[in-house]
Structures are given as structure tokens and as C-alpha cells.
């Protein structure tokens, strides 16, 4: 572990105890920390003492959930960890205000904002982190740790092409920068460059095998329809994470990944156990709370699902969570409460901030599923697809095309979404409804049957619509 030089200016020396505290907290996660990125050194021109280790892969999600890196295991108690980070933000902000060219303070502030964002799911923290790292790079544009963090933030903020090119330049200069290499692969995956991502992940595995890389391989296998391999890799990643000493929020990510894959395969009992394990690791895992809510809804335990959605929304009010809760209220006949949730989704859509960008696909699906602003949904899906031609980008585009009366175009787009062989009830349902719209009843019956066979409760409202449509097609 690199130490802080005693030759640093007195303004930096005053904060040395806090630097070591933050470094200890971050390094405990087995992910990169301040010193591994070369951010807490007094000499910004120096390179990291060792290659950065690899942060966990981003979160999967058919609606295009923000591919935010799994939070570091700062503490099993997320609230206590967040309080510590809040204090650190105050210290580094004050230091940077006194000296706007203070590289160390700028980079530490960026790292702390980034870490808090990973813990709380607040997208605004990532934007603040980007501002801070940009301020540091003005003073020292060649610092490898700062550039690596910049690439990671671009990825987190959905500038995948910018993240890939920035990270690739780092790797070209130093092949040992493994977090940069991971960011290259993650960006390729999000842009639908699956063969390139596979090659990058293979190189990453050869350089540093472990839980973070195994989880990436699991996600890729799932997208390719290799469900058994994906599940086995996810289980292995969780075991490796425990063997590596992961705990709290970091460990919860790996259990969540197992739950996500199990739910996608319709294995509700396995999904339930995995999500509960994630919550045992870290009670504030909003992704696991939302996942467990979907399990309860699929089991028709709607009151439990409502409570779990409420807990997830209290932590992070993501549009998908709000829409899911609103749909449950709608099913229960409580239109007033349903409208409250939907109104919040609409408000998020109007935000001219990073939040609107991160939730593009969630907003597309919400608008289409609820028959709102259909031209806007199509325009948003088109813009997203220009830079992100992955499975779920094509799916969202196809679904928006169908809602706008362009069934033939929707069918062509949906074939792109299905080309990789991904097994997902939502994809099969969308394909079935599109086939029905172009009067290909045989394919419609096949796809809708496949969706319901894979996961009968993949979505409370849409699965009911799938069953009704299938019944009409079977009994014309």
C-alpha cells in the first residue's frame, strides 16, 4: 500500500488521518481505492504503485438500469458509512474551496462522491464526482489514477463511447491498468459489442481472475442465452467474493446477481433466497428489495410486494420502482395511489439532469406500457439506440415503434433484440405482441407461450396481457 509522503504541503498534512481512514475503508472492499488510483499521493505526476484492482461489474436489468458499479463494502451499516463520507465531502470541499488548484483535494473529493453514489444510488453524486475529477485533471492531465476514475465516471453516467475510448487510451499506455481494462469491457457490453467485450473479459480474467471478472462473464453468458453457464458463474462469483473477504454492499451485489438471473429464469424460490441473502449482506440493497418485490408480485403476494417496493423507493426512487408500485396499486383498484407513483415518474422524465439520462430506457418502457407521450418515447428510444445498440436497446426501440403504429419496423428491430439468443420473458412477450400486430399468429402464439412458460409472473400487468392475447389467438 502506498504511503503519503511527509513532504506534502501543510494544507495536505492536516488531513492525513482522514486520508488514511478513507483509504482503509475503500481498500477493505477489494476494489480500487484512493491510494491504488494514485489519488492520495503528494506527487500527482507519479504512477500508482501497482495495477488497480477491478471493481464489480455493473448491475443487470432489462429496462437498462444504470450500470452503476456495485458499492464498495464500506460497512454492513450503509447509514454509518454514508455519514463518514458526508464528513469527508465537507473536508475536501472546504480544502478545494481554499485552493481550487489543489489536485489531491479534487481527486479525493471525486472519489468520495463516487463512492457515496455507489452506496446510495444517487446519480447527482456521480455528476459532482465528474466535476471534481475534471478540476483535478486541469492541473495534472496525465495522472493515470485520475484518468481511470474519469473513464469510470463516464461509464457510470452512460457516456459509454467516451468511457471506452478514455479507458482504452489508459490501457494502451499501461496494460497493467486493470480497472481501465474492465471499463473498456463494460462499455463494450453496454454498447452491444459482445464479441469485443468477451475478448476484453478474457484478457481481464487472465490478468486477475476473481469475483468481479466472473460476474462479468456471467452477465455475458446470460445475454447469449447460456443460462446454465450464467447461473453457475454467478454462484461462483459469490463464492469467490466471500473468499476474497467481500462483505456488506459489495457482497450483496453478487447475491443480487444470482437472484436476478434466477427470476429471469422463472426460478422464484432461488431468486427469493438470493435476494434475501443480499439483504442480509446489506439491508439497504435497493436492487435486492426491488427484486424481492417482483418475486412477491409473481407469487401474487401483492401486499408484501407493495411494502418492498416502498422500501426500495425510500432509498432510491428509480422510475422502474415507482412504475412497478403504481402498477400494483392499479391492480388493486387504487387509482389515486397509482397516479401518485406515475406522477413522480413523469417528474423525473422532465428533469434536465443526469437522472433523466440514466433512466432513458425505464422511461421509454413506462410511457409505452402506460400509453403516455408515445412520440416522445420513440424519440428517446431512437436517441438511445444511436449510441447503445445492445439487446435491450433494440427491445425498447421495437416496443416504442409498435406503440407508434409501426409494427413492421418494430418486427425488424425486435429481430435484432433476439439475435443473440437471450432468454428473457419480457423479450419474448414483446416479440409475441409485435408478431400478433403483423398478423403472424403462429409466431405470436409461440413467443407468448415461451414468455409465460419461462416466467409466468414476469410483470403483473404485462403477463396478464400476454395471457389474454394468447387466449384470443388460441380461440379466434
Amino acid at each position: 500500500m502506498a504511503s503519503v509522503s511527509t513532504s506534502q504541503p501543510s494544507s495536505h498534512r492536516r488531513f492525513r488521518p482522514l486520508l488514511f481512514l478513507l483509504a482503509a475503508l475503500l481498500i477493505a472492499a477489494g476494489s480500487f481505492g484512493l491510494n491504488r488510483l494514485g489519488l492520495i499521493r503528494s506527487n500527482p505526476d507519479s504512477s500508482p504503485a501497482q495495477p488497480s484492482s477491478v471493481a464489480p461489474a455493473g448491475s443487470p436489468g432489462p429496462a437498462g438500469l444504470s450500470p452503476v458499479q456495485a458499492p464498495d463494502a464500506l460497512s454492513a451499516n450503509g447509514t454509518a458509512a454514508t455519514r463518514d463520507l458526508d464528513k469527508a465531502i465537507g473536508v475536501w470541499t472546504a480544502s478545494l474551496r481554499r485552493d481550487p488548484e489543489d489536485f489531491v483535494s479534487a481527486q479525493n473529493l471525486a472519489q468520495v462522491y463516487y463512492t457515496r453514489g455507489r452506496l446510495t444510488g444517487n446519480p447527482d453524486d456521480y455528476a459532482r464526482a465528474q466535476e471534481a475529477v475534471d478540476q483535478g485533471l486541469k492541473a495534472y492531465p496525465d495522472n493515470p489514477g485520475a484518468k481511470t476514475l474519469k473513464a469510470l465516471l463516464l461509464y457510470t453516467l452512460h457516456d459509454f463511447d467516451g468511457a471506452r475510448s478514455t479507458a482504452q487510451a489508459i490501457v494502451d499506455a499501461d496494460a497493467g491498468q486493470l480497472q481501465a481494462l474492465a471499463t473498456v469491457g463494460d462499455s463494450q457490453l453496454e454498447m452491444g459489442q459482445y464479441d469485443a467485450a468477451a475478448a476484453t473479459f478474457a484478457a481481464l480474467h487472465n490478468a486477475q481472475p476473481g469475483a468481479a471478472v466472473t460476474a462479468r462473464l456471467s452477465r455475458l453468458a446470460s445475454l447469449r442465452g447460456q443460462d446454465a453457464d450464467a447461473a453457475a458463474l454467478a454462484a461462483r462469483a459469490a463464492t469467490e467474493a466471500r473468499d476474497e473477504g467481500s462483505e456488506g454492499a459489495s457482497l450483496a451485489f453478487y447475491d443480487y446477481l444470482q437472484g436476478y438471473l434466477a427470476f429471469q429464469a422463472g426460478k422464484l424460490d432461488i431468486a427469493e433466497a438470493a435476494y434475501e441473502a443480499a439483504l442480509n449482506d446489506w439491508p439497504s440493497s435497493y436492487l435486492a428489495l426491488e427484486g424481492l418485490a417482483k418475486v412477491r408480485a409473481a407469487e401474487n403476494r401483492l401486499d408484501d410486494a407493495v411494502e418492498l417496493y416502498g422500501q426500495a423507493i425510500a432509498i432510491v426512487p428509480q422510475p422502474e420502482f415507482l412504475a412497478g408500485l403504481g402498477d400494483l396499486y392499479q391492480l388493486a383498484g387504487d387509482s389515486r395511489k397509482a397516479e401518485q407513483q406515475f406522477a413522480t415518474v413523469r417528474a423525473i422524465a422532465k428533469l434536465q439532469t443526469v437522472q433523466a439520462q440514466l433512466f432513458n430506457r425505464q422511461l421509454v418502457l413506462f410511457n409505452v406500457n402506460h400509453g403516455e407521450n408515445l412520440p416522445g418515447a420513440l424519440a428517446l428510444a431512437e436517441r438511445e439506440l444511436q449510441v447503445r445498440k445492445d439487446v435491450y436497446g433494440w427491445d425498447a426501440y421495437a416496443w416504442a415503434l409498435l406503440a407508434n403504429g409501426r409494427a413492421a419496423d418494430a418486427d425488424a428491430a425486435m429481430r435484432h433484440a433476439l439475435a443473440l439468443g437471450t432468454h428473457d420473458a419480457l423479450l419474448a412477450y414483446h416479440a409475441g405482441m409485435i408478431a400478433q400486430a403483423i398478423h403472424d399468429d403462429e409466431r405470436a402464439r409461440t413467443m407468448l407461450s415461451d414468455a409465460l412458460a419461462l416466467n409466468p409472473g414476469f410483470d403483473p400487468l404485462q403477463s396478464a396481457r400476454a395471457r389474454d392475447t394468447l387466449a384470443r389467438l388460441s380461440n379466434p
Side-chain angles (χ1 to χ4, degrees):
M1 180 180 294
S3 60
V4 180
S5 169
T6 57
S7 65
Q8 59 189 357
S10 59
S11 62
H12 296 163
R13 195 177 299 123
R14 277 178 295 165
F15 302 111
R16 191 185 307 162
L18 182 58
L19 275 168
F20 277 116
L21 170 63
L22 288 172
L25 287 171
L26 289 160
I27 294 300
S31 178
F32 62 81
L34 303 182
N35 62 341
R36 289 198 177 204
L37 281 176
L39 302 186
I40 67 171
R41 295 165 177 263
S42 60
N43 177 11
D45 294 316
S46 62
S47 297
Q50 54 186 307
S52 59
S53 59
V54 181
S59 304
L65 290 179
S66 172
V68 173
Q69 303 295 325
D72 287 325
L74 295 174
S75 170
N77 185 335
T79 302
T82 303
R83 283 199 300 266
D84 291 339
L85 293 171
D86 291 345
K87 292 177 183 177
I89 285 171
V91 170
W92 296 119
T93 299
S95 180
L96 193 58
R97 188 178 297 119
R98 287 190 295 271
D99 182 2
E101 296 184 358
D102 182 350
F103 172 83
V104 174
S105 294
Q107 296 311 106
N108 285 336
L109 180 62
Q111 178 69 72
V112 175
Y113 266 130
Y114 170 71
T115 303
R116 192 175 72 172
R118 292 167 76 185
L119 205 65
T120 65
N122 183 357
D124 291 337
D125 278 341
Y126 300 121
R128 296 187 184 103
Q130 188 174 49
E131 291 174 1
V133 79
D134 285 344
Q135 188 169 349
L137 283 169
K138 287 180 181 178
Y140 292 95
D142 294 326
N143 182 271
K147 290 193 292 185
T148 298
L149 181 56
K150 172 70 173 181
L152 195 55
L153 284 164
L154 289 171
Y155 169 80
T156 303
L157 293 169
H158 284 202
D159 182 356
F160 300 114
D161 189 52
R164 181 195 55 76
S165 59
T166 301
Q168 186 63 59
I170 297 168
V171 174
D172 289 344
D174 180 359
Q177 293 295 319
L178 299 185
Q179 179 58 70
L181 182 62
T183 302
V184 171
D186 293 341
S187 300
Q188 290 166 335
L189 191 73
E190 296 301 329
M191 291 191 293
Q193 299 170 358
Y194 297 115
D195 290 342
T200 302
F201 292 159
L204 194 62
H205 177 74
N206 290 335
Q208 190 184 86
V213 185
T214 305
R216 286 172 164 87
L217 296 173
S218 173
R219 287 194 63 201
L220 181 59
S222 175
L223 288 165
R224 286 176 161 173
Q226 300 161 353
D227 298 345
D229 290 344
L233 286 165
R236 194 177 93 195
T239 299
E240 289 172 341
R242 287 177 169 83
D243 291 344
E244 293 164 6
S246 294
E247 59 182 12
S250 182
L251 183 59
F253 169 78
Y254 296 102
D255 287 327
Y256 165 77
L257 177 60
Q258 293 184 88
Y260 168 81
L261 294 175
F263 182 81
Q264 189 167 305
K267 299 177 180 179
L268 300 186
D269 54 342
I270 297 175
E272 177 181 6
Y275 288 141
E276 289 181 343
L279 290 168
N280 186 60
D281 300 330
W282 184 41
S284 297
S285 174
Y286 46 89
L287 290 175
L289 285 167
E290 188 255 356
L292 193 55
K294 293 173 74 171
V295 171
R296 294 289 179 258
E299 295 170 337
N300 205 33
R301 296 168 56 179
L302 300 187
D303 289 344
D304 291 342
V306 165
E307 182 179 351
L308 288 161
Y309 267 123
Q311 293 177 36
I313 289 167
I315 301 170
V316 184
Q318 286 197 13
E320 187 176 30
F321 300 178
L322 293 158
L325 178 57
D327 287 349
L328 293 181
Y329 282 137
Q330 195 171 61
L331 279 173
D334 193 333
S335 57
R336 182 183 64 84
K337 287 185 177 180
E339 178 56 29
Q340 287 176 344
Q341 308 308 313
F342 298 156
T344 305
V345 177
R346 297 186 199 106
I348 292 173
K350 293 179 181 178
L351 293 174
Q352 298 300 311
T353 67
V354 67
Q355 294 195 42
Q357 176 181 330
L358 293 180
F359 301 135
N360 280 346
R361 293 183 184 178
Q362 294 187 30
L363 295 172
V364 169
L365 295 185
F366 169 79
N367 284 335
V368 172
N369 289 341
H370 297 87
E372 299 185 9
N373 190 18
L374 299 181
L378 179 57
L380 186 59
E382 287 174 337
R383 289 199 303 270
E384 178 87 349
L385 192 65
Q386 287 175 3
V387 296
R388 198 176 174 193
K389 294 180 174 64
D390 65 328
V391 165
Y392 292 104
W394 282 110
D395 173 64
Y397 180 50
W399 198 229
L401 284 167
L402 178 65
N404 281 272
R406 295 170 56 183
D409 291 337
D411 183 56
M414 199 66 217
R415 291 180 187 275
H416 284 287
L418 298 174
L420 202 63
T422 309
H423 296 150
D424 187 324
L426 188 68
L427 295 179
Y429 162 66
H430 287 168
M433 298 301 289
I434 290 169
Q436 184 262 341
I438 61 172
H439 307 294
D440 188 344
D441 290 354
E442 181 177 354
R443 183 154 60 94
R445 282 191 294 269
T446 298
M447 298 307 297
L448 293 173
S449 297
D450 286 349
L452 294 170
L454 185 61
N455 188 345
F458 66 90
D459 178 276
L461 291 183
Q462 303 305 318
S463 60
R465 186 181 175 196
R467 283 189 290 272
D468 290 345
T469 304
L470 183 60
R472 289 196 301 272
L473 289 171
S474 300
N475 299 284

